[in-house]
Amino acid sequence: ILRVEDVHKYYELGETRVHALRGINVSVESGGFVAIMGASGSGKSTFMNILGCLDRPTSGRYLLEGIDVSGRTKHELAGIRNSKLGFVFQGFNLLPRTTALENVQLPTLYTAINAIERQKRAREALALVGLAERSQHYPSQLSGGQQQRVALARALVNHPSILLADEPTGNLDSRTAVEIMEVLQDLNEQGLTIVLVTHEPDIAQFAKRMIVFRDGKIRKDDALHDR
Amino acid sequence: ILRVEDVHKYYELGETRVHALRGINVSVESGGFVAIMGASGSGKSTFMNILGCLDRPTSGRYLLEGIDVSGRTKHELAGIRNSKLGFVFQGFNLLPRTTALENVQLPTLYTAINAIERQKRAREALALVGLAERSQHYPSQLSGGQQQRVALARALVNHPSILLADEPTGNLDSRTAVEIMEVLQDLNEQGLTIVLVTHEPDIAQFAKRMIVFRDGKIRKDDALHDR
Ligand SMILES: Nc1ncnc2c1ncn2[C@@H]1O[C@H](COP(=O)(O)OP(=O)(O)OP(=O)(O)O)[C@@H](O)[C@H]1O
Ligand SMILES: Nc1ncnc2c1ncn2[C@@H]1O[C@H](COP(=O)(O)OP(=O)(O)OP(=O)(O)O)[C@@H](O)[C@H]1O
Ligand SMILES: [Mg+2]
Ligand SMILES: [Mg+2]
C-alpha cells in the first residue's frame, strides 16, 4: 500500500546541508503494522512527513496505493491526505482556541458529511481514546497525555486506511499507553495499516514489524513474532 | 529546600470543577533528586507548575527556601523563578522565530550579565546537551528530541539551584536519554536539586527517590537504592 524507493531528503540551511534521509527503500502492505525506532535526529519524522504527503523527498519515488505521489499538485496531495491518511504529529498540533471536539472534527470539514454525522464521529473517536468526558475542554485545560489522545482521535475520525503516528504514546503513562496500543491493534486487525514511531521498545512490541533508522538510513527491518 | 503543605488545586471550568491536587504534602531537601510518576491526568504537571511558581495552589502552603511564596506578588514570583529555578515544560515552549542559541539565552536576559557572558553560558549549556553544532538552527529545523534538549539547556543556563523538568526525555531515544540523565546526575552531585516527571521507569531509576501520583494524591514516596 506504501512503497518508497531510494528516497533522499536534504534540508538546505544557508551554507550547510543536512542529509536527513539517505536512500530509503521500504514497502508496507495493506494491513501492515510497522514500528519505527532510532536515535534522535536519525530521520524518523522526516520519513513520516514524506509518507504523509506533508513534505516531498529531494529525490526518489513514493507510491501510495500504486499512485506515484511525486508528480501530484499540492491540491491533489491534500485530497489524498484527507481521504486516506490519519496523522499524529510529534507535537500534537492542536488548535489552542478550539475545544477537543472541534479539534477532532477538523479533518471531517474537508469531507462531504453533514454536521450531525461529523459530531457523531468526533464523539466516537474521543470515546475510543478514553476522553468522552472532556470534549468541551480546550487544549490548555488538558494534560499533556490528554492532548496527545485528542490528536490521535483527530487522526482516526475520517476512518483512514493508513494511520501515521509520530510518537503517539510519548506523554502517556504505561497503562494508558497499553490501552491505546490495544485500540490500535484492534483497528489493525480490522484492516487499518499503521506506521508508528516510538522510542519505547514495549510499545514497538505491539507492532508486527520493526524498522530501525540510523543516520538517515534503515539499519534493521525485522518481523516481530512474540506479541 | 521545597516544602509543600496540604496543597489543593481546583480548575474551574464553567459548571464543572476539576480537583487536580487533593492535599499534597512533600518536602525535598537541597541536593535531592526526585522522580515523579503517575497516570495521565493524575496531577503531575499541575504540581510542577506550582513548584515552579507558574501557578498558585487553590489552598495550602508552598515554602521555597523557607520563603512562603503564597503571599508573593507576581513580580516577586518572577524574580524567584528566574534566579533559582530552571524549568523544562512538557511541550518545550521554545520561541519558533528564534535560534537555539537565542532560545537558550532567554532566561539570562533577566539577569545582569553582559552579552559576552550571556552567549558563553548559552553555548556551554547547548554543549552540555550535545547540541553545540546546532546553535543557529530554528526549532522548526530541529527534530523533536533536539528541541527537547534545547529546552533543557535553557533551563540550565542560569545555573539554577533547582531544576524542575516535566518529561525531559519523552522524545529522546534510549541512548540519548541515558546521556542526558548522566549529565543531570553529575549536576545533582554538584548540588543541583532536581525534580523530574517521567513515564519511563528506566529514567526514574537515575533519581534518588520516587513519588507516584494517582488521582491528585501521592500514593507512594520511596527512596531508590540500587542505581
Ligand atoms: N525542517 C528542517 N530543516 C532543517 N533540518 C531539519 C528539519 N527537520 C529536521 N531536520 C534535521 O534532519 C535530521 C532528521 O530529523 P528528524 O526530525 O527526521 O529526526 P527524528 O528521527 O524524528 O528525531 P527525534 O527522535 O529527535 O524526533 C536532524 O538532524 C534534524 O535536525
Ligand atoms: N489549565 C487547566 N484547566 C483545567 N483543567 C486542567 C488544566 N490543567 C490540567 N487540568 C486537568 O487537571 C488534571 C491533572 O492534569 P495534569 O496536567 O496535572 O496531569 P498530568 O499528571 O501531568 O498528566 P500527563 O501525564 O497526561 O501529562 C487533568 O484532569 C487535566 O485535564
Ligand atoms: Mg521526530
Ligand atoms: Mg503532564
Side-chain angles (χ1 to χ4, degrees), chain A residues 13 16 18 38-41 90 134 137 141 143-146 149 167 170-176 199-201 214, chain B residues 12-13 16 18 38-41 90 134 137 141 143-146 149 167 170-174 176 199-201 214:
Chain A
L13 298 169
T16 56
V18 176
S40 179
Q90 200 169 6
R134 309 302 289 276
H137 293 187
Q141 296 166 326
S143 78
Q146 289 163 343
R149 287 184 273 156
E167 294 278 5
N171 281 278
L172 301 182
D173 62 281
S174 297
R175 180 145 97 192
T176 308
H199 285 297
E200 299 164 85
R214 185 171 179 187
Chain B
E12 306 290 343
L13 298 169
T16 56
V18 176
S40 179
Q90 199 168 4
R134 308 303 287 276
H137 293 186
Q141 298 167 324
S143 77
Q146 289 162 342
R149 287 185 273 157
E167 294 277 11
N171 280 275
L172 302 182
D173 62 280
S174 297
T176 308
H199 284 296
E200 301 165 84
R214 187 173 180 184

Side-chain angles (χ1 to χ4, degrees), chain A residues 10-131:
Chain A
Y10 288 89
Y11 292 108
E12 307 288 344
L13 298 169
E15 295 179 2
T16 56
R17 208 175 181 213
V18 176
H19 196 180
L21 295 177
R22 300 168 180 242
I24 298 297
N25 292 278
V26 164
S27 285
V28 181
E29 73 285 351
S30 182
F33 194 158
V34 181
I36 298 184
M37 299 189 76
S40 179
S42 58
K44 303 178 301 295
S45 292
T46 300
F47 178 61
M48 290 293 264
N49 285 338
I50 289 169
L51 287 189
C53 302
L54 298 165
D55 199 2
R56 290 167 182 259
T58 308
S59 64
R61 281 208 320 162
Y62 174 31
L63 300 164
L64 175 57
E65 293 191 334
I67 301 166
D68 185 341
V69 298
S70 309
R72 303 292 163 171
T73 63
K74 281 190 175 184
H75 180 71
E76 288 168 324
L77 282 179
I80 291 170
R81 195 166 55 239
N82 288 333
S83 64
K84 295 175 190 295
L85 302 179
F87 205 111
V88 180
F89 294 88
Q90 200 169 6
F92 317 159
N93 280 17
L94 299 178
L95 293 185
R97 293 188 182 82
T98 50
T99 64
L101 191 68
E102 292 163 337
N103 265 291
V104 173
Q105 283 181 63
L106 273 180
T108 65
L109 297 180
Y110 305 102
T111 66
I113 65 174
N114 67 35
I116 290 170
E117 175 67 15
R118 184 176 293 133
Q119 272 218 15
K120 175 176 175 277
R121 284 197 189 183
R123 287 188 190 282
E124 287 170 351
L126 277 172
L128 199 61
V129 298
L131 285 175

Side-chain angles (χ1 to χ4, degrees), chain A residues 33-37 148 152 165-185 194-211 224 226-227, chain B residues 170 174 199-201:
Chain A
F33 194 158
V34 181
I36 298 184
M37 299 189 76
Q148 197 164 42
L152 180 57
D166 199 344
E167 294 278 5
T169 59
N171 281 278
L172 301 182
D173 62 281
S174 297
R175 180 145 97 192
T176 308
V178 165
E179 289 170 3
I180 293 300
M181 292 310 298
E182 288 171 344
V183 165
L184 295 186
Q185 268 184 331
I194 300 177
V195 182
L196 76 86
V197 172
T198 181
H199 285 297
E200 299 164 85
D202 295 352
I203 294 302
Q205 290 300 316
F206 283 83
K208 298 175 184 172
R209 175 183 171 194
M210 182 193 292
I211 292 178
L224 295 171
D226 47 356
R227 48 196 284 264
Chain B
S174 297
H199 284 296
E200 301 165 84

Side-chain angles (χ1 to χ4, degrees), chain B residues 48 50 54 75 117 178:
Chain B
M48 290 291 265
I50 289 169
L54 298 165
H75 181 69
E117 176 66 16
V178 165

